[in-house]
Amino acid sequence: MADAARERLLILGGGLIGLTMAHELARKGFTIEVISRQKTEAAGFGAAGMLAPHAEGLTGNHLELGLLSLQLIPEWVKKIEKDSGLSCGYRNCGIIVPFLNIKEAEIYPTSYLGLILNRKELEAEIPGISQQWKSGLLFNKDGQIDNRRKLMLALEKACVALGVKFREGVEVIKLIEQKQEIQGVEVKNTKGLQETIWGQRAILCSGAWSQKILTDLPLFPVKGEMLSIQGPKNSLKRIIYGPGTYLVPREDDLIIVGATSNKEARFNKGITQSGQLQLKNGINSLLPIANQWPPIDSWWGFRPGTPDEMPILGKSRLKGLWLATGHYRNGVLLAAITAKLISKCILKDPLTQKESELLMSFNWNRFNKYHASTRQ
Ligand SMILES: Cc1cc2nc3c(=O)[nH]c(=O)nc-3n(C[C@H](O)[C@H](O)[C@H](O)COP(=O)(O)OP(=O)(O)OC[C@H]3O[C@@H](n4cnc5c(N)ncnc54)[C@H](O)[C@@H]3O)c2cc1C
């Protein structure tokens, strides 16, 4: 830690993962500069904030990574709240996945980690749930963070309190490399002028846009539309995670409804009639009464997608450049473990056997084969 003090590190992208890395490493004594094109475009603001390794039915190393992160989240949140003085809106509320019959529940990839509910138990958990659902799985360790209204703000404030420097409105346009080492970045500054920022250590955290900076990465945007409604007091105590639609109740009964998933939309901004209709139909299929609750807001975001839907973590092909991107639909869940693993790598802290295995399996070079085939 002493060696890290005052060492300079560039964070390329000031979204959820960029802020998470900036916070973690500023705490360890690094001098951090975050280069952020536009903080409000971050998927970190667009997400539903579910912490759902079980409900998402993750498997293998992805599940392990998610479970490790879930364990770290209470401590991670405490650190952010301490440094910022703000709440992150973390709630260990549990998630229910409804099914048409018990057989479906039994064969769900993570069913062995949940509690199977019959129709009566399901109704007791979610009064008013649509009649079609005859069974459910309760994952009581899954939860949520109020990313849109709280976490992103708290992270930014925590970073500022630790002396992190922000270059907001500045776009990285090119990496400067020499002999396979990063030397800095070319940026377009707030006046539209090109400028060089030197630095031999950087983390690429540019979410869905990461491929524009490092073209080797097979990253692409997966647009998601959302809406919110105001539920009556105590209308829903757990998250309902249905096929294609989920309902996430915040502390004040604001219910976040998500999400569409559209690769073809690329970076097309804005909500669409069809997307919003899909969400309303989704509400009907889960909790019909909720369609009578007042609408509050609608928005969209771009998930950083990868071919295997798993993140890209660890070393890049350039010495000094680390990758923390491609978190797709689980960036909020995986932020805590990402911070831990990447900061350990940068600090050269010893990794456990499991951590080394995970870093190996999420390294970018697992896509070499994919790249070869798409370039033919
Ligand atoms: C609709 C939706 C629902 C989701 N729900 C959940 C959920 O319930 N649970 C969960 O765990 N995850 C969820 N996610 C996923 C999660 O939001 C993402 O995985 C996460 O935000 C990724 O973080 P990031 O920092 O990599 O990208 P972002 O948060 O998108 O941040 C990237 C930042 O990089 C900046 N940037 C890009 N290019 C440049 C450049 N050239 N120069 C400078 N800056 C640049 C951008 O301006 C942006 O601010 C959801 C995502 C969406 C869209």
Side-chain angles (χ1 to χ4, degrees), residues 12 45 195 209 234 284 301:
L12 315 182
F45 283 107
E195 203 184 293
W209 299 268
N234 301 326
N284 244 355

Side-chain angles (χ1 to χ4, degrees), residues 15 17 37-38 41 43-44 48-50 172 328-333:
I17 301 298
R37 182 176 58 206
Q38 192 190 338
E41 73 184 350
M50 287 181 293
V172 176
Y328 187 43
R329 43 187 297 137
N330 287 297
V332 184
L333 167 68

